[in-house]
Amino acid sequence: MTIENSVDKKSIWSAFGRLLRQELLPVLTDLRLAIVMLLAIAIFSVTGTVIEQGQSLAFYQANYPEHPALFGFLTWKVLLTLGLDHVYRTWWFLALLIFFGTSLTACTFTRQLPALKAARRWKFYDEPRQFKKLALSAELDNGSVNSLTQLLQNRRYKVFQEKDDTLYARKGLIGRIGPIVVHVGIVTILLGSIWGAMTGFVAQEMVSSGNTFQVKNIIDAGPWATAVPKDWSVRVNRFWIDYTASGGIDQFYSDMSVLDNQEQEVDRKTIFVNSPLRYRGVTFYQTDWGISAVRVRVNKSPIFQLPMAQLNTNGQGRIWGTWIPTKPDLSEGVSLLTKDLQGTVLIYDATGKLVDTVRTGMSTQINGVTLKILDVLGSTGLQIKADPGIPVVYTGFALLMLGVVMSYFSHSQIWVLQKDSRLYVGGKTNRAQVTFEREMLEILDKLSLPSKDEEKAVAIEPHSA
């Protein structure tokens, strides 16, 4: 019974191996399938770029309503059902990457590596009829195998010579390695992308000047995300905006410090657009700004710091406002409005009438009190990302570019045979056919020229006569 079970297991594994070789491998290594998968990955990647990723449910409901649906079918329900709100972490997109990587790997082992192995092997041609099968061949009545050796070595050919009458030379073997390196680079990029999708996260924070925060507002994260900061925090020392002469925003900046558990500064940088802060694999990007509070004094009171909220202007620009009481019983007060951090504050009374316009540091008389605007405090909008797969992706891109450059080298082969006082020369190449033909003609021309000894003999002969 044990022997029969062993035979059954062997037959099952043998049948599985045949199925893998005869049915699955031809499908995986099909170039048409690889092209289709690559196009699908490109299309879904574009979809993930066009459709905002990792936003809230309210965002998608507002921007992709059911009536009217975008393009007649694209609604927030469709987006969430298909996972188009987080394309790069959906099971079907990751499965597509894995399938494409498997196809490239199978192609590498079944086609590219055997082709490289075959290119490294050679055999000498010992019959003239073998040269007729080559793309380029010639039959000469002068020259020798030894005379060709130096000519080929001068053109960076690696020469193999077993006997005095046969020769094999090749160059550009690196061109055969190039496609393999390209495949390795693409697979590395896919692995880095999958690793980043599984372990990375994206967060957003709006932080006022002077405040310290830890990353909490995570809007998208992989199931294995472990890079979320827990033993360190970040303080926004100061946020400010540089304005142009016309009043437009030129650039906004955040002076940020990284603090350890003892609130000691371990890193510091002033960030702005396209110049983020990076620490322990987490990157802080400057993406937005706002106004968080206004600091005021009423008569000789202590300084009050009152929060300012962004008002709904129906798309007419951004304005922040707050309300300040001018009586202890809160029966009267004024509203403060501002649109930027340049220090201009508009003051409105209870009836909505503009009563004054002041700048920071100035005072005004309102409702029988002296109101002084000390400062308008800004807040920085940060996008925080961690993608542990980025170094792997960059490595893959480097391999991909290296492989593309290597693939441009032509793999050229030349055979030589001397037999019956005749010299047979032939060769072939996998690319740059015209260049190879010119090279072969130049070699044959030099081979046809008389040697230096022959030239001396010709020059001496008439003189001796």
Side-chain angles (χ1 to χ4, degrees), residues 95-154:
L96 188 60
L97 295 182
I98 294 173
F99 194 29
F100 183 55
T102 303
S103 175
L104 290 178
T105 304
C107 181
T108 300
F109 280 97
T110 60
R111 295 186 180 182
Q112 299 296 340
L113 287 177
L116 175 61
K117 187 176 181 181
R120 295 186 63 187
R121 292 197 303 261
W122 74 89
K123 63 178 181 179
F124 297 100
Y125 285 0
D126 52 10
E127 292 294 335
R129 57 182 174 79
Q130 293 176 291
F131 288 81
K132 296 180 180 180
K133 300 178 181 180
L134 298 175
L136 292 172
S137 62
E139 182 179 344
L140 306 175
D141 55 4
N142 63 338
S144 64
V145 173
N146 293 330
S147 61
L148 265 176
T149 301
Q150 188 61 43
L151 288 175
L152 294 174
Q153 288 177 344
N154 290 341

Side-chain angles (χ1 to χ4, degrees), residues 80-281:
L80 299 183
T81 301
L82 297 179
L84 297 180
D85 59 322
H86 55 282
V87 171
Y88 308 113
R89 289 193 173 95
T90 56
W91 67 268
W92 46 266
F93 187 78
L94 295 176
L96 188 60
L97 295 182
I98 294 173
F99 194 29
F100 183 55
T102 303
S103 175
L104 290 178
T105 304
C107 181
T108 300
F109 280 97
T110 60
R111 295 186 180 182
Q112 299 296 340
L113 287 177
L116 175 61
K117 187 176 181 181
R120 295 186 63 187
R121 292 197 303 261
W122 74 89
K123 63 178 181 179
F124 297 100
Y125 285 0
D126 52 10
E127 292 294 335
R129 57 182 174 79
Q130 293 176 291
F131 288 81
K132 296 180 180 180
K133 300 178 181 180
L134 298 175
L136 292 172
S137 62
E139 182 179 344
L140 306 175
D141 55 4
N142 63 338
S144 64
V145 173
N146 293 330
S147 61
L148 265 176
T149 301
Q150 188 61 43
L151 288 175
L152 294 174
Q153 288 177 344
N154 290 341
R155 293 180 176 270
R156 302 189 304 277
Y157 278 87
K158 187 175 182 180
V159 178
F160 302 88
Q161 190 171 357
E162 186 179 41
K163 302 176 183 177
D164 291 337
D165 58 351
T166 57
L167 178 148
Y168 169 78
R170 73 180 182 205
K171 74 173 179 179
L173 187 61
I174 190 175
R176 291 290 189 180
I177 304 175
I180 299 175
V181 178
V182 169
H183 283 195
V184 173
I186 296 176
V187 172
T188 303
I189 293 172
L190 296 176
L191 290 175
S193 301
I194 294 172
W195 180 248
M198 292 290 99
T199 60
F201 73 87
V202 179
Q204 292 179 345
E205 299 286 351
M206 184 67 75
V207 187
S208 302
S209 291
N211 285 3
T212 301
F213 72 98
Q214 281 191 317
V215 180
K216 300 289 185 182
N217 187 29
I218 297 175
I219 59 176
D220 193 16
W224 305 331
T226 58
V228 180
K230 295 180 180 179
D231 57 347
W232 52 276
S233 58
V234 178
R235 182 178 63 231
V236 178
N237 302 309
R238 180 178 171 234
F239 172 77
W240 73 97
I241 298 177
D242 283 349
Y243 293 90
T244 62
S246 60
I249 295 177
D250 182 39
Q251 186 64 273
F252 37 96
Y253 303 86
S254 295
D255 178 18
M256 302 173 61
S257 296
V258 179
L259 309 177
D260 59 17
N261 283 333
Q262 287 74 40
E263 297 188 356
Q264 298 297 313
E265 185 178 86
V266 294
D267 196 5
R268 184 169 183 170
K269 184 179 180 180
T270 297
I271 70 170
F272 51 91
V273 177
N274 297 327
S275 180
L277 166 67
R278 292 184 174 90
Y279 185 75
R280 290 190 181 180

